[in-house]
Amino acid sequence: MSHTTVKQKRTALKVARSSKTLNVSSGVFRVNQSMTKTINPSFSGKSFSSGSDSKVLDKSLAQTPKHTVQVFDEHGQDITPHPLYNPDPGVLQPKQGKIFPAHEMSWTTMTDFPSVAFQTTNASFTGPFTRSFFGSASASRTSQTAESVTDETKDFIAKPDLSSSLTDVQTRREKVKEQVREDIMDRVVDCYLTETETIWLLDIPAVSVSVDSEDAEAVKERNNAYTELCKNRQGNDKYVERSMQTFNDAPKTKEVQSDSITMVDKAVMSTTWDMYDSFCNKSDVSENTVVSAEGNKATVPDSSSMSHLLNPSGTDQSMSVFSTTSTVSGSSTHLEKMTVLPVEEEPDLELILQSDKFKQDLAMMERVVLANIFQPKLAAYRQLPVIEDPDCVQTQMEEESWTEQTKNSLSPFLEHLWAFKCELTMGRNVSSMTWNKKNPDLLAVGYGQHEFKDQKPGLVCCWSLKNPTWPDRIFHCESGVTALDFSSCNANQLAVGMYDGTIAIYNVQTAEQTPITDSSDCANMHTCPVWQLRWVDHDTGLAGEEKGEMLISVSGDGRISKWIHYKGLECVDLMKLKSPNVTINRQQWNPKILSLAPGLCFDFHPNDSKIYLAGTEEGQIHKCSYSYNEQFLETYEAHTGPVYKVAWSPFCPDVFLSCSSDWTIYLWRQDLPKPVLGFSSGQKVVFDIMWSPHCATIFGVVREGNVEIWDLRVSSLDPTIVSLTSTGVNPTVLLFTPETDCVLVGDSEGHVTVYKLKNLPAGGSTQVETLEDVIWSTLSSQHTLGKTDGSA
Amino acid sequence: MAEVEDTLKRIQGINGVIGTIVVNAEGIPIKTTLDNSTTVQYAGLLHQLTMKARSTVRDIDPQNDLTFLRIRSKKHEIMVSTDKEYLLIVIQNPAE
């Protein structure tokens, strides 16, 4: 039924356009709605009759009443806007009064029910319209309505004129009082639920199936079956229309309360290194179920337990096995860690402090801290540009000294950089210094007295440039140290010569106080102080001779010995420095007792390692050969006092310098028996001289009380730089740095001061030619002098 | 052991060094020359920073490790020598 009504009423359900259909359906709808709203209780349970009403409705559709516009909302309530003009309803009222009771029996009465029920002062505006409509409708269909309406409406039908008049009253507003009669209440009213265009009762969207799909055939069959069914349904006994209404039970609310869920945050941080660590430690952990004393190992299982979540690779089997062990060990170690930790506080500190790594780190830290302080000096030393610390505030004193120096910036001078000194070395006389052959930053300094008196135990300190406040190595020796040399082959071996004639070889890699070997057991050991030591490398070995490096020493007992490190130290004499023939009373007196002149210094030729010079305490310089130990090759005599130092020029192969306590320094040429040049400035003992390794014409001199730098290009009469030391302090040793333009001066107070040579005339080459020119010019002038002088 | 003490004393005696702190692996200071509150503050903060720095270095290359950390500020320079088991912190004022 609903199906048919829907068909018929679909067009009727447009909003307020086609008045006829709308009114009919809407009227009906409204009736339904109103009925359901107001009279629902009475009508509940009653079935709705279908047939007659529908017929009436069908017929009514044929009629077209006068055009009225009505607007209904979705529930069928009339919300038509009210007209502003309301004609006087009083005229027709009595007529309507008669009609209306009749109407009450018809549909219109039903329409008035809402107005009755709601008791509005204004009659429901829809009332008149519908009434008028229905009036008109009924007027036109008197015959039809007569069939359907009950006998009570006969009165109404009999008065068509009234109904027609009613149509004129469309616009009038009328107040109607409705009287609900009991019989009307018992009347069965049919309610129809219809679908509108916006309200559906049942909505199953259509499902489309593609013709090509597998189910297409089945769907087609079903569709066909359905259409057959629809066709057959009309008169079929199988299908009976039946409606149902369900009961809506009253809802009931129920509350349940639960404990609040405690939330725990858990986080795991996974980093690249964590995964790497776990991966590396994986093999160790599975064996390491027992916790060792160190607390830090407990952290390893924790990371490994995480790793089985994080480890990206690895076979599944091994992972599962591993994870169980790790969790077990993790928990056990965790427990143990908790108990062990309080006990471990003390050993923890000790362990750390004693570990080697800590010592290394401490040493490095010391250097780092010092580097902050000494950085400008070290930069100057290494000939790097000195960068000023932007945050460092220069004190006034520094500024003053700076301005002083800048004044003298044109003339050459020695810039004081720093001094190696510490409390250990206070008061000790620096007797020798040498650079390490391999590490140019390592300096070995020997402390020992030169004089016989004031002998105290000697000291060897290995200083590093990186730490000028404390030596890296300290070796205490029994007697004063007088000579030092680093080996070139084994750069860690340091040969030390002492005042009592002992020679010891130390290994500076460790801080052990005992030397590798000692010559004190040797039968042939020196009986007098070892004044100079040198490791000499013999490149060319004659047949039967040993190749390689050997230690050569010269000592106050007049012997130059070669030492071999075999099982102990064994020595072979290279030369005995025989005392020359002394002329007494104009007679050559050949002493029967062979006495040896104490040797003070020696130097091997830089190019030919067979030839060496030896200086004696008697003032002679002997040129000797390594392979010939009977006689000297040549003797140079000019000094009147002990020759403290001889030095071959590193650039000119024939030239050497010698210094002595007779206040003089002589420049010799190998082939000439007499010195070429003599340098003297003041009456002071010359302790040490050294050629500069960079420039052939420069050499440094250490005298009693001052340090001099001579440059033969500038002058051969006066030193280029003279630097006075503080009174009471004598510089004793001079050492040039092999790579930079600095010079080290050791003094009798135990300080080793580093100076930088400033403003010396720069030379591109090593100035060998200059030196030779100087010599040649000197010689030529000497010759001329000699000629004019005659032999004197 | 005595050598270590000597070296520590020497470092502390260097001109400009304000303090030295040795911190263990958990960030607890075990040896210090500064007062307690300062020590605790330095130890805690530098421990965290060192952890972060080490994490950074090792994230880039897990085989690498942090050895030394130097923080230069206007007034001081803080030098931290790092190891798995300890931190050696020296605070220096290089102007002096």
Side-chain angles (χ1 to χ4, degrees):
Chain A
M1 171 176 151
S2 61
H3 192 55
T4 51
T5 48
V6 164
K7 272 188 187 168
Q8 283 151 8
K9 286 174 189 160
R10 200 177 298 133
T11 50
L13 292 170
K14 293 206 174 68
V15 179
R17 288 296 168 191
S18 128
S19 52
K20 162 194 85 168
T21 50
L22 178 67
N23 285 343
V24 167
S25 55
S26 59
V28 170
F29 196 76
R30 264 187 59 253
V31 165
N32 297 340
Q33 285 295 346
S34 56
M35 295 312 281
T36 51
K37 274 185 195 169
T38 55
I39 312 170
N40 225 351
S42 55
F43 277 114
S44 63
K46 286 188 184 170
S47 58
F48 297 110
S49 63
S50 58
S52 56
D53 284 341
S54 63
K55 283 179 197 167
V56 171
L57 287 164
D58 291 348
K59 285 162 192 172
S60 68
L61 278 173
Q63 308 300 323
T64 50
K66 280 200 181 165
H67 178 73
T68 52
V69 176
Q70 292 194 310
V71 177
F72 294 98
D73 65 3
E74 55 181 6
H75 296 295
Q77 284 168 357
D78 198 349
I79 51 168
T80 319
H82 308 303
L84 293 175
Y85 168 65
N86 299 310
D88 189 12
V91 177
L92 280 175
Q93 205 153 12
K95 292 177 193 172
Q96 285 186 342
K98 279 188 193 172
I99 293 162
F100 287 141
H103 277 274
E104 283 172 351
M105 299 163 219
S106 68
W107 309 311
T108 52
T109 51
M110 299 170 217
T111 68
D112 293 336
F113 273 78
S115 58
V116 171
F118 296 139
Q119 297 197 349
T120 51
T121 49
N122 298 325
S124 106
F125 298 115
T126 56
F129 298 119
T130 46
R131 263 179 246 123
S132 61
F133 164 67
F134 280 120
S136 61
S138 56
S140 52
R141 293 176 266 122
T142 47
S143 57
Q144 293 157 348
T145 51
E147 294 163 13
S148 56
V149 178
T150 57
D151 51 352
E152 289 162 344
T153 57
K154 279 176 191 170
D155 306 336
F156 165 65
I157 295 158
K159 296 165 191 174
D161 57 330
L162 285 171
S163 59
S164 62
S165 68
L166 274 175
T167 57
D168 301 331
V169 186
Q170 279 179 8
T171 54
R172 268 189 234 156
R173 213 214 291 182
E174 283 157 319
K175 284 188 188 173
V176 175
K177 214 175 180 184
E178 299 288 339
Q179 285 163 11
V180 180
R181 289 168 36 173
E182 284 184 18
D183 46 355
I184 292 171
M185 291 298 289
D186 293 331
R187 227 175 97 92
V188 172
V189 177
D190 298 321
C191 296
Y192 299 100
L193 296 171
T194 56
E195 294 177 335
T196 68
E197 282 201 349
T198 51
I199 301 169
W200 298 289
L201 293 175
L202 177 65
D203 181 19
I204 300 175
V207 175
S208 315
V209 174
S210 155
V211 179
D212 300 331
S213 77
E214 297 162 351
D215 304 333
E217 288 300 316
V219 171
K220 274 184 193 166
E221 278 181 32
R222 287 214 323 261
N223 284 349
N224 294 335
Y226 186 67
T227 47
E228 290 291 320
L229 187 71
C230 288
K231 284 183 204 163
N232 295 337
R233 228 181 75 166
Q234 287 292 341
N236 207 329
D237 291 332
K238 274 195 200 173
Y239 297 97
V240 171
E241 292 279 341
R242 199 181 159 85
S243 314
M244 295 287 288
Q245 190 175 16
T246 59
F247 292 102
N248 293 326
D249 295 328
K252 178 180 171 186
T253 56
K254 195 169 168 84
E255 283 177 14
V256 172
Q257 191 172 26
S258 68
D259 291 337
S260 66
I261 302 166
T262 49
M263 309 284 266
V264 174
D265 278 334
K266 194 145 176 86
V268 165
M269 189 180 73
S270 108
T271 53
T272 318
W273 53 267
D274 199 13
M275 291 193 264
Y276 177 84
D277 276 348
S278 323
F279 204 64
C280 286
N281 294 333
K282 183 177 134 178
S283 49
D284 303 336
V285 167
S286 50
E287 296 148 15
N288 190 20
T289 51
V290 177
V291 175
S292 63
E294 292 174 297
N296 54 2
K297 278 211 176 169
T299 59
V300 171
D302 291 338
S303 62
S304 61
S305 61
M306 277 201 289
S307 71
H308 79 274
L309 300 165
L310 304 167
N311 201 332
S313 61
T315 63
D316 291 337
Q317 245 186 3
S318 62
M319 284 313 296
S320 57
V321 169
F322 159 69
S323 60
T324 49
T325 54
S326 70
T327 46
V328 164
S329 60
S331 55
S332 63
T333 52
H334 215 67
L335 285 170
E336 288 184 56
K337 186 185 176 184
M338 303 301 267
T339 53
V340 168
L341 194 58
V343 179
E344 278 183 15
E345 290 287 355
E346 287 301 320
D348 199 29
L349 167 69
E350 294 298 317
L351 275 173
I352 288 175
L353 290 180
Q354 279 165 14
S355 65
D356 283 335
K357 184 91 185 4
F358 188 70
K359 286 178 200 158
Q360 279 174 17
D361 279 351
L362 260 182
M364 189 175 66
M365 179 64 83
E366 195 183 352
R367 286 187 177 185
V368 166
V369 172
L370 285 167
N372 270 338
I373 297 169
F374 283 102
Q375 198 272 336
K377 310 288 184 195
L378 284 173
Y381 176 86
R382 296 196 197 276
Q383 295 169 315
L384 294 169
V386 178
I387 304 167
E388 252 186 51
D389 193 353
D391 298 324
C392 174
V393 176
Q394 258 195 346
T395 59
Q396 262 221 321
M397 230 173 63
E398 285 173 42
E399 280 182 40
E400 280 169 23
S401 63
W402 224 77
T403 48
E404 269 177 44
Q405 281 188 342
T406 48
K407 278 180 206 163
N408 305 333
S409 58
L410 291 170
S411 60
F413 67 98
L414 287 179
E415 186 188 346
H416 172 107
L417 289 179
W418 74 84
F420 290 106
K421 58 177 188 265
C422 69
E423 56 202 13
L424 265 184
T425 63
M426 285 301 191
R428 290 176 186 270
N429 177 43
V430 175
S431 60
S432 56
M433 295 192 297
T434 178
W435 291 105
N436 186 303
K437 304 289 184 287
K438 204 164 177 190
N439 180 3
D441 287 347
L442 195 63
L443 176 73
V445 179
Y447 301 88
Q449 310 301 114
H450 283 309
E451 296 85 34
F452 180 71
K453 55 188 171 100
D454 304 331
Q455 279 296 316
K456 44 184 159 177
L459 186 66
V460 176
C461 288
C462 290
W463 294 87
S464 165
L465 277 178
K466 293 159 190 164
N467 186 353
T469 59
W470 192 259
D472 278 1
R473 297 275 184 268
I474 302 166
F475 301 106
H476 291 275
C477 304
E478 285 168 358
S479 63
V481 174
T482 50
L484 279 181
D485 198 31
F486 267 110
S487 160
S488 341
C489 288
N490 311 316
N492 56 319
Q493 283 185 1
L494 176 67
V496 179
M498 281 173 261
Y499 196 84
D500 61 356
T502 322
I503 295 173
I505 300 179
Y506 284 90
N507 180 9
V508 298
Q509 276 176 343
T510 63
E512 272 185 42
Q513 291 293 308
T514 54
I516 304 171
T517 51
D518 206 333
S519 76
S520 41
D521 297 335
C522 179
N524 253 356
M525 63 173 278
H526 288 296
T527 49
C528 286
V530 177
W531 291 113
Q532 192 156 357
L533 278 174
R534 192 61 55 86
W535 290 91
V536 180
D537 201 13
H538 289 272
D539 301 321
T540 57
L542 301 171
E545 298 251 340
E546 282 174 27
K547 245 194 187 176
E549 217 185 22
M550 50 204 83
L551 183 62
I552 316 261
S553 68
V554 67
S555 145
D557 58 3
R559 291 187 348 226
I560 298 178
S561 324
K562 173 178 82 174
W563 295 84
I564 304 154
H565 181 41
Y566 198 49
K567 282 173 192 171
L569 269 178
E570 308 251 324
C571 90
V572 171
D573 277 348
L574 285 179
M575 180 61 70
K576 288 190 171 53
L577 297 167
K578 297 181 201 109
S579 204
N581 297 332
V582 175
T583 55
I584 296 176
N585 301 329
R586 299 195 184 170
Q587 276 179 7
Q588 286 274 344
W589 180 56
N590 208 349
K592 288 190 182 126
I593 303 166
L594 196 67
S595 65
L596 295 170
L600 290 176
C601 56
F602 70 98
D603 195 16
F604 274 79
H605 196 277
N607 299 343
D608 181 8
S609 56
K610 299 287 182 210
I611 310 291
Y612 60 92
L613 292 167
T616 64
E617 205 171 353
E618 291 174 5
Q620 285 130 7
I621 302 168
H622 304 286
K623 186 166 85 169
C624 320
S625 167
Y626 175 77
S627 44
Y628 186 57
N629 57 3
E630 288 298 319
Q631 260 196 346
F632 311 125
L633 294 175
E634 213 166 322
T635 306
Y636 304 94
E637 295 198 25
H639 283 295
T640 51
V643 178
Y644 282 134
K645 198 74 187 282
V646 286
W648 288 101
S649 166
F651 299 103
C652 287
D654 297 329
V655 178
F656 65 89
L657 275 177
S658 67
C659 78
S660 122
S661 63
D662 64 352
W663 316 330
T664 57
I665 302 160
Y666 286 123
L667 179 86
W668 305 76
R669 221 173 72 176
Q670 200 183 176
D671 47 348
L672 296 171
K674 291 291 166 191
V676 175
L677 279 171
F679 312 102
S680 61
S681 65
Q683 298 167 343
K684 290 178 192 150
V685 176
V686 182
F687 287 117
D688 199 3
I689 50 162
M690 188 173 173
W691 285 100
S692 160
H694 305 291
C695 185
T697 54
I698 296 176
F699 60 91
V701 174
V702 164
R703 280 178 200 272
E704 200 177 330
N706 58 17
V707 178
E708 294 168 358
I709 306 287
W710 292 72
D711 188 351
L712 294 174
R713 291 172 294 183
V714 175
S715 156
S716 56
L717 294 173
D718 287 316
T720 315
I721 306 171
V722 178
S723 164
L724 294 166
T725 57
S726 43
T727 54
V729 177
N730 289 334
T732 50
V733 194
L734 181 85
L735 189 67
F736 274 89
T737 52
E739 285 172 10
T740 68
D741 57 350
C742 295
V743 64
L744 279 77
V745 175
D747 61 17
S748 55
E749 278 303 305
H751 301 179
V752 177
T753 319
V754 181
Y755 294 99
K756 191 170 158 79
L757 299 168
K758 291 279 257 193
N759 298 324
L760 279 178
S765 65
T766 52
Q767 307 290 329
V768 174
E769 298 86 21
T770 324
L771 181 64
E772 285 177 352
D773 285 344
V774 166
I775 294 167
W776 191 86
S777 59
T778 320
L779 285 173
S780 55
S781 61
Q782 269 182 2
H783 270 291
T784 51
L785 277 171
K787 276 182 187 164
T788 53
D789 254 10
S791 54
Chain B
M1 189 60 202
E3 192 189 316
V4 165
E5 294 286 345
D6 278 346
T7 316
L8 273 171
K9 259 185 230 152
R10 278 210 312 277
I11 293 178
Q12 184 59 34
I14 293 172
N15 204 8
V17 170
I18 297 168
T20 36
I21 307 169
V22 181
V23 176
N24 73 351
E26 279 109 32
I28 301 163
I30 52 180
K31 206 166 174 60
T32 175
T33 60
L34 298 166
D35 59 278
N36 200 22
S37 56
T38 319
T39 303
V40 165
Q41 197 178 18
Y42 267 106
L45 292 169
L46 285 168
H47 180 73
Q48 287 174 33
L49 183 65
T50 315
M51 287 294 133
K52 191 68 183 169
R54 178 176 288 134
S55 176
T56 308
V57 166
R58 295 202 71 209
D59 263 347
I60 295 165
D61 177 9
Q63 288 176 332
N64 205 356
D65 198 7
L66 182 71
T67 53
F68 206 87
L69 188 64
R70 231 166 147 161
I71 305 161
R72 182 77 170 95
S73 74
K74 268 196 210 155
K75 292 187 190 168
H76 308 309
E77 180 158 0
I78 303 169
M79 288 157 278
V80 183
S81 175
T82 67
D83 186 72
K84 243 172 42 174
E85 287 160 39
Y86 61 84
L87 286 182
L88 171 62
I89 303 167
V90 173
I91 305 135
Q92 186 189 16
N93 184 359
E96 292 168 33

